[in-house]
Amino acid sequence: MNDSTHNHSPNDYDVDTDIQSNTTLAAQRAHLQLAIDGMSCQACASRIEKVLNKKPSVYDVSVNFAGETANVDYDPTQTTPDQITEWVNKTGFVANLQAADSLFAQTDEDTATKYPWRLIGLWVCLLPFLIGMAGMLVGEGMAWMPPVWLQFVLATVVQLGFALPFYKSAWASIKGGLANMDVLVVIGTLTIWAYSTYLWLTHGDGSLHSLLQSNHVGSHSVDHGPAVYFEAGVMVIAFVRTGKYLEERTKKHSLNSIDLLLSLTPDEVERQQPNGEFQSVALKDIQVGDILRAKQGGRVATDGTVTDGSGWCEESHLTGESVPLKKDVGDVLMAGALLENGSLLYRVSAKGSDTKLGDMVQALSDAQGSKANLARLADRVTAIFVPVVVTIALVTFGLTWWLTGMMDTALMHAVSVLVIACPCALGLATPAAIMAGMGVAARHGVWFKDAQSLEAAGNIDTVVLDKTGTLTIGKPTIVDKVMVDQSLAVDDVLQIAASIEAHASHPLATAIVNAAAKRNLPLLSVTDVSVIKGAGIQANIDGLGLVKVGTAEFANLNLPKLMPKVWQIASTVAISINNEPLGAFALADDLKADTPQAITALQNAGTHVILMSGDKQSVVDHVAGQLGIEQAYGKMSPRDKASQIALLQTAGHKVAMAGDGVNDAPAMATADASFAMFEGTDVAQHSASARLMGESLMHIDAAQKIAKATLRNIKQNLFFAFIYNCLGIPLAAFGFLNPMIAAAAMALSSISVLMNALRLTRFKTEVELDNTVSASHSKTDRPKKA
């Protein structure tokens, strides 16, 4: 049984105007995104935020450590992007602006990632120590360990050469007022090196011969003299740098979906010359208006319009739907589309960041660069993490020395605490999962506005759906009519209605205009257009007077109770002149093909589905009955929808709203999460926390499931990071972990968090799973060859 509302509002018909609703930032507020090189942990990101937030011209800053980006809202009347970039560079990092025609800000080439010469050098220096340690494992004692003087040389090359980036980062961090993990590494390894050097230089009689003797000094000393620990410092630096290298590789080449999007456009294209021939040129040299050629199996390089040829294009990179679309002359092409067959010539309409793909890359980059509320916890912890760890290390050193009387043992315990307590895993926990989740969502045609939007979508338990354009195709047609004034022909009434509706953007208004166009009815000139939300639209027509088009009540029309059944399940558009009713049209709209499947998927996932529409209750009940929706509210004005959602929230529900029109905007703004349907109005797009780039309602189910999976992943990462430090620090303090093992474990913690986040990239929606099962069944069912 449908739960029908008893709202007495007469507003059973929503008409949207074509009001320009492209909301832009005020003149005194602008947005900037920077690509940041050189961050080593979350504390680095926090330091950049701290520095920029002190500037009076900066409103808000969000730095994403995993994505290596900074989103800055600033006052353009007080500062410039170049000035902001300079501020970031002064903190010890390298900031890069986005080029005007590029898809995304390109960072300086990370030589440590592409050509890891520094890392290779580290391991070359470490190799003799590893050979010596291998000798211990096979029972050779310290016989394979290099002489102490060579240990000193190798350790010094590492400490004062290959480790210089750690020193630079640590010093910049201290100057910025927030210590990062490099501070811990520098303090620990420098202490080991200095202490070992002191022991070596002060052992024996001080002669050169004594210093070069390897059988009297060091950890392999025959006479049990003081031990040196050069190998510990070298191994810590090598393991930490290796961990950073693997982390960079994972973030840049596996975790970030932006690189995959950027690879969708070719570097070179075929441009038509004035003589009609085609020449291969670089994509960056293409200008708007050029004619390009796309061949079968190739990618469309820019947005454009087909001028010649035909073919089938697959645009799943933007819509999430892999069904190819036929493209003929006059059709629009999108950059990145795959031409499965055929050959096309197209005129460039936009390139680079101005294309739909460029907009998606920027939207995805902004979203990945934002922070979820869960990330605030990690930020607060990492802000005080390093000072607390240094304090624990000092206490460990003092207590161990006091209890054991052995300074070297106390030193190793303290250094182990410094090394094991790396905040990297904690800093990566949330942004790594957000990056992966956002990329998966974009692949499925869901563009989340920011991390908070994804987080909100992962917590919803109730989805409120609009009817027209959301559950239905959004292209209603006239199925019946009734005329009150018999002196006017049907075409005359349709012409009058279409002339008024031409100034609205609601699907019902579009249907009236299209019907008039099919009958070649010219539109009349109108003035004083006025929209009454939830009721209709009115305007003046010379020679006629005030014309109203909208609900029956709005047009002062009383329809007979005994109307044909189609009027009970169709939407009504009534027309009046000077409050004298002329007649009405009944318009019906078909459900989208996969709407029943989407509703079932949401309900099976435990989500409560509610239908709210401005249409009359009988129509809403009919649609709800077809879809198995138990709660259906009709005659809902925009304010009614928002109020009902607020009541659901008061009752403890987390509510998402999906719609496509101006009238849905208040409800979408009220909901915890909101989805704007494909080709929805600008107001709906700007009010929504996520945009659905395909027409299928299954995108909402995918968005919710992806968001829930991302939240689970974040919580898992935070759990791993917290447990790692909670267990690791005490074990190191009590001597169960030496510095080398601590360094390896620290590197492993960051990699494990990234690997867990990468699991999200294998996420499959219900449709994909069904397709996989169907494909496997089809293979199984094929007859075997004799």
mmCIF file of all heavy atoms in Angstrom, residues 128-146 151 214 218-222 231:
data_model
loop_
_atom_site.group_PDB
_atom_site.id
_atom_site.type_symbol
_atom_site.label_atom_id
_atom_site.label_comp_id
_atom_site.label_asym_id
_atom_site.label_seq_id
_atom_site.Cartn_x
_atom_site.Cartn_y
_atom_site.Cartn_z
ATOM 1 N N PRO A 128 77.963 -4.095 1.440
ATOM 2 C CA PRO A 128 78.985 -4.711 2.308
ATOM 3 C C PRO A 128 78.454 -5.058 3.698
ATOM 4 O O PRO A 128 78.840 -6.092 4.272
ATOM 5 C CB PRO A 128 80.072 -3.634 2.384
ATOM 6 C CG PRO A 128 79.893 -2.828 1.138
ATOM 7 C CD PRO A 128 78.425 -2.801 0.900
ATOM 8 N N PHE A 129 77.576 -4.217 4.224
ATOM 9 C CA PHE A 129 76.997 -4.509 5.532
ATOM 10 C C PHE A 129 76.102 -5.744 5.462
ATOM 11 O O PHE A 129 76.077 -6.568 6.381
ATOM 12 C CB PHE A 129 76.195 -3.308 6.037
ATOM 13 C CG PHE A 129 77.029 -2.103 6.349
ATOM 14 C CD1 PHE A 129 77.008 -0.990 5.515
ATOM 15 C CD2 PHE A 129 77.831 -2.057 7.471
ATOM 16 C CE1 PHE A 129 77.764 0.123 5.792
ATOM 17 C CE2 PHE A 129 78.598 -0.937 7.768
ATOM 18 C CZ PHE A 129 78.570 0.157 6.925
ATOM 19 N N LEU A 130 75.350 -5.875 4.371
ATOM 20 C CA LEU A 130 74.474 -7.038 4.218
ATOM 21 C C LEU A 130 75.301 -8.328 4.112
ATOM 22 O O LEU A 130 74.903 -9.365 4.643
ATOM 23 C CB LEU A 130 73.589 -6.875 2.967
ATOM 24 C CG LEU A 130 72.565 -5.737 3.012
ATOM 25 C CD1 LEU A 130 71.813 -5.656 1.679
ATOM 26 C CD2 LEU A 130 71.574 -5.952 4.150
ATOM 27 N N ILE A 131 76.441 -8.242 3.420
ATOM 28 C CA ILE A 131 77.311 -9.418 3.316
ATOM 29 C C ILE A 131 77.822 -9.808 4.701
ATOM 30 O O ILE A 131 77.855 -10.994 5.066
ATOM 31 C CB ILE A 131 78.491 -9.124 2.363
ATOM 32 C CG1 ILE A 131 77.973 -8.937 0.936
ATOM 33 C CG2 ILE A 131 79.520 -10.256 2.409
ATOM 34 C CD1 ILE A 131 79.040 -8.500 -0.054
ATOM 35 N N GLY A 132 78.223 -8.791 5.477
ATOM 36 C CA GLY A 132 78.699 -9.074 6.826
ATOM 37 C C GLY A 132 77.628 -9.681 7.700
ATOM 38 O O GLY A 132 77.888 -10.629 8.464
ATOM 39 N N MET A 133 76.401 -9.193 7.578
ATOM 40 C CA MET A 133 75.306 -9.743 8.369
ATOM 41 C C MET A 133 74.945 -11.152 7.897
ATOM 42 O O MET A 133 74.521 -11.989 8.694
ATOM 43 C CB MET A 133 74.096 -8.804 8.289
ATOM 44 C CG MET A 133 74.380 -7.425 8.894
ATOM 45 S SD MET A 133 72.992 -6.285 8.727
ATOM 46 C CE MET A 133 71.879 -6.955 9.926
ATOM 47 N N ALA A 134 75.132 -11.408 6.602
ATOM 48 C CA ALA A 134 74.884 -12.762 6.096
ATOM 49 C C ALA A 134 75.877 -13.740 6.708
ATOM 50 O O ALA A 134 75.546 -14.907 6.976
ATOM 51 C CB ALA A 134 74.984 -12.773 4.572
ATOM 52 N N GLY A 135 77.102 -13.259 6.933
ATOM 53 C CA GLY A 135 78.094 -14.115 7.572
ATOM 54 C C GLY A 135 77.663 -14.542 8.960
ATOM 55 O O GLY A 135 77.918 -15.686 9.384
ATOM 56 N N MET A 136 77.010 -13.654 9.677
ATOM 57 C CA MET A 136 76.504 -14.011 11.010
ATOM 58 C C MET A 136 75.473 -15.123 10.916
ATOM 59 O O MET A 136 75.440 -16.039 11.746
ATOM 60 C CB MET A 136 75.871 -12.783 11.678
ATOM 61 C CG MET A 136 76.840 -11.654 12.003
ATOM 62 S SD MET A 136 75.973 -10.343 12.884
ATOM 63 C CE MET A 136 76.240 -8.988 11.796
ATOM 64 N N LEU A 137 74.623 -15.047 9.884
ATOM 65 C CA LEU A 137 73.540 -16.027 9.751
ATOM 66 C C LEU A 137 74.069 -17.426 9.425
ATOM 67 O O LEU A 137 73.447 -18.425 9.782
ATOM 68 C CB LEU A 137 72.554 -15.573 8.663
ATOM 69 C CG LEU A 137 71.775 -14.286 8.963
ATOM 70 C CD1 LEU A 137 70.903 -13.910 7.759
ATOM 71 C CD2 LEU A 137 70.900 -14.461 10.196
ATOM 72 N N VAL A 138 75.230 -17.501 8.719
ATOM 73 C CA VAL A 138 75.759 -18.809 8.324
ATOM 74 C C VAL A 138 76.847 -19.291 9.276
ATOM 75 O O VAL A 138 77.561 -20.256 8.986
ATOM 76 C CB VAL A 138 76.308 -18.752 6.882
ATOM 77 C CG1 VAL A 138 75.199 -18.422 5.916
ATOM 78 C CG2 VAL A 138 77.460 -17.751 6.771
ATOM 79 N N GLY A 139 77.019 -18.612 10.411
ATOM 80 C CA GLY A 139 77.959 -19.069 11.428
ATOM 81 C C GLY A 139 79.377 -18.586 11.281
ATOM 82 O O GLY A 139 80.290 -19.118 11.921
ATOM 83 N N GLU A 140 79.621 -17.572 10.421
ATOM 84 C CA GLU A 140 80.966 -17.042 10.242
ATOM 85 C C GLU A 140 81.287 -15.912 11.210
ATOM 86 O O GLU A 140 82.354 -15.285 11.118
ATOM 87 C CB GLU A 140 81.142 -16.538 8.799
ATOM 88 C CG GLU A 140 81.088 -17.629 7.758
ATOM 89 C CD GLU A 140 82.287 -18.577 7.863
ATOM 90 O OE1 GLU A 140 83.363 -18.116 8.290
ATOM 91 O OE2 GLU A 140 82.132 -19.770 7.535
ATOM 92 N N GLY A 141 80.349 -15.616 12.087
ATOM 93 C CA GLY A 141 80.571 -14.526 13.035
ATOM 94 C C GLY A 141 80.702 -13.196 12.326
ATOM 95 O O GLY A 141 79.905 -12.884 11.442
ATOM 96 N N MET A 142 81.688 -12.392 12.684
ATOM 97 C CA MET A 142 81.892 -11.084 12.087
ATOM 98 C C MET A 142 82.998 -11.077 11.026
ATOM 99 O O MET A 142 83.463 -10.025 10.623
ATOM 100 C CB MET A 142 82.253 -10.079 13.185
ATOM 101 C CG MET A 142 81.157 -9.902 14.212
ATOM 102 S SD MET A 142 79.659 -9.248 13.443
ATOM 103 C CE MET A 142 78.532 -9.314 14.842
ATOM 104 N N ALA A 143 83.381 -12.264 10.595
ATOM 105 C CA ALA A 143 84.498 -12.353 9.662
ATOM 106 C C ALA A 143 84.209 -11.669 8.332
ATOM 107 O O ALA A 143 85.131 -11.195 7.657
ATOM 108 C CB ALA A 143 84.859 -13.826 9.428
ATOM 109 N N TRP A 144 82.961 -11.646 7.916
ATOM 110 C CA TRP A 144 82.622 -11.036 6.623
ATOM 111 C C TRP A 144 82.324 -9.546 6.728
ATOM 112 O O TRP A 144 82.107 -8.901 5.706
ATOM 113 C CB TRP A 144 81.410 -11.745 6.014
ATOM 114 C CG TRP A 144 81.675 -13.166 5.622
ATOM 115 C CD1 TRP A 144 82.848 -13.871 5.776
ATOM 116 C CD2 TRP A 144 80.753 -14.065 5.009
ATOM 117 N NE1 TRP A 144 82.734 -15.140 5.314
ATOM 118 C CE2 TRP A 144 81.430 -15.304 4.816
ATOM 119 C CE3 TRP A 144 79.432 -13.978 4.597
ATOM 120 C CZ2 TRP A 144 80.834 -16.417 4.245
ATOM 121 C CZ3 TRP A 144 78.824 -15.069 4.017
ATOM 122 C CH2 TRP A 144 79.516 -16.284 3.852
ATOM 123 N N MET A 145 82.270 -9.024 7.927
ATOM 124 C CA MET A 145 81.959 -7.602 8.101
ATOM 125 C C MET A 145 83.159 -6.762 7.657
ATOM 126 O O MET A 145 84.308 -7.102 7.957
ATOM 127 C CB MET A 145 81.628 -7.315 9.561
ATOM 128 C CG MET A 145 81.119 -5.896 9.815
ATOM 129 S SD MET A 145 79.504 -5.549 9.069
ATOM 130 C CE MET A 145 78.415 -6.465 10.137
ATOM 131 N N PRO A 146 82.941 -5.676 6.896
ATOM 132 C CA PRO A 146 84.071 -4.850 6.440
ATOM 133 C C PRO A 146 84.783 -4.194 7.617
ATOM 134 O O PRO A 146 84.223 -4.068 8.707
ATOM 135 C CB PRO A 146 83.402 -3.806 5.538
ATOM 136 C CG PRO A 146 81.987 -3.757 5.988
ATOM 137 C CD PRO A 146 81.658 -5.148 6.434
ATOM 138 N N GLN A 151 83.505 0.859 7.196
ATOM 139 C CA GLN A 151 82.134 1.097 7.681
ATOM 140 C C GLN A 151 81.900 2.592 7.886
ATOM 141 O O GLN A 151 80.861 3.129 7.513
ATOM 142 C CB GLN A 151 81.904 0.353 8.998
ATOM 143 C CG GLN A 151 81.930 -1.160 8.896
ATOM 144 C CD GLN A 151 81.594 -1.826 10.221
ATOM 145 O OE1 GLN A 151 80.692 -1.391 10.922
ATOM 146 N NE2 GLN A 151 82.342 -2.875 10.558
ATOM 147 N N SER A 214 90.726 -3.830 12.194
ATOM 148 C CA SER A 214 89.313 -4.199 12.253
ATOM 149 C C SER A 214 89.038 -5.295 13.252
ATOM 150 O O SER A 214 87.896 -5.581 13.572
ATOM 151 C CB SER A 214 88.825 -4.655 10.869
ATOM 152 O OG SER A 214 89.554 -5.798 10.466
ATOM 153 N N GLY A 218 84.679 -2.530 17.010
ATOM 154 C CA GLY A 218 83.386 -2.724 16.366
ATOM 155 C C GLY A 218 82.594 -3.846 16.954
ATOM 156 O O GLY A 218 82.982 -4.482 17.921
ATOM 157 N N SER A 219 81.456 -4.085 16.330
ATOM 158 C CA SER A 219 80.523 -5.089 16.815
ATOM 159 C C SER A 219 81.102 -6.488 16.668
ATOM 160 O O SER A 219 80.590 -7.425 17.247
ATOM 161 C CB SER A 219 79.202 -4.991 16.048
ATOM 162 O OG SER A 219 79.455 -5.061 14.662
ATOM 163 N N HIS A 220 82.164 -6.649 15.884
ATOM 164 C CA HIS A 220 82.793 -7.950 15.733
ATOM 165 C C HIS A 220 84.136 -7.993 16.470
ATOM 166 O O HIS A 220 85.048 -8.717 16.102
ATOM 167 C CB HIS A 220 82.982 -8.283 14.255
ATOM 168 C CG HIS A 220 83.720 -7.233 13.495
ATOM 169 N ND1 HIS A 220 83.241 -5.973 13.311
ATOM 170 C CD2 HIS A 220 84.926 -7.284 12.848
ATOM 171 C CE1 HIS A 220 84.094 -5.267 12.569
ATOM 172 N NE2 HIS A 220 85.140 -6.049 12.291
ATOM 173 N N SER A 221 84.284 -7.187 17.501
ATOM 174 C CA SER A 221 85.552 -7.074 18.243
ATOM 175 C C SER A 221 85.906 -8.384 18.934
ATOM 176 O O SER A 221 85.087 -9.013 19.584
ATOM 177 C CB SER A 221 85.438 -5.950 19.284
ATOM 178 O OG SER A 221 86.558 -5.954 20.134
ATOM 179 N N VAL A 222 87.194 -8.787 18.794
ATOM 180 C CA VAL A 222 87.662 -9.999 19.444
ATOM 181 C C VAL A 222 87.824 -9.785 20.937
ATOM 182 O O VAL A 222 87.541 -10.654 21.748
ATOM 183 C CB VAL A 222 88.990 -10.459 18.808
ATOM 184 C CG1 VAL A 222 89.569 -11.651 19.574
ATOM 185 C CG2 VAL A 222 88.815 -10.787 17.341
ATOM 186 N N GLU A 231 76.200 0.152 10.561
ATOM 187 C CA GLU A 231 75.261 -0.551 9.667
ATOM 188 C C GLU A 231 73.808 -0.204 9.981
ATOM 189 O O GLU A 231 72.944 -0.187 9.092
ATOM 190 C CB GLU A 231 75.475 -2.067 9.748
ATOM 191 C CG GLU A 231 74.958 -2.744 11.002
ATOM 192 C CD GLU A 231 75.906 -2.622 12.173
ATOM 193 O OE1 GLU A 231 76.971 -1.970 12.028
ATOM 194 O OE2 GLU A 231 75.612 -3.189 13.232
#
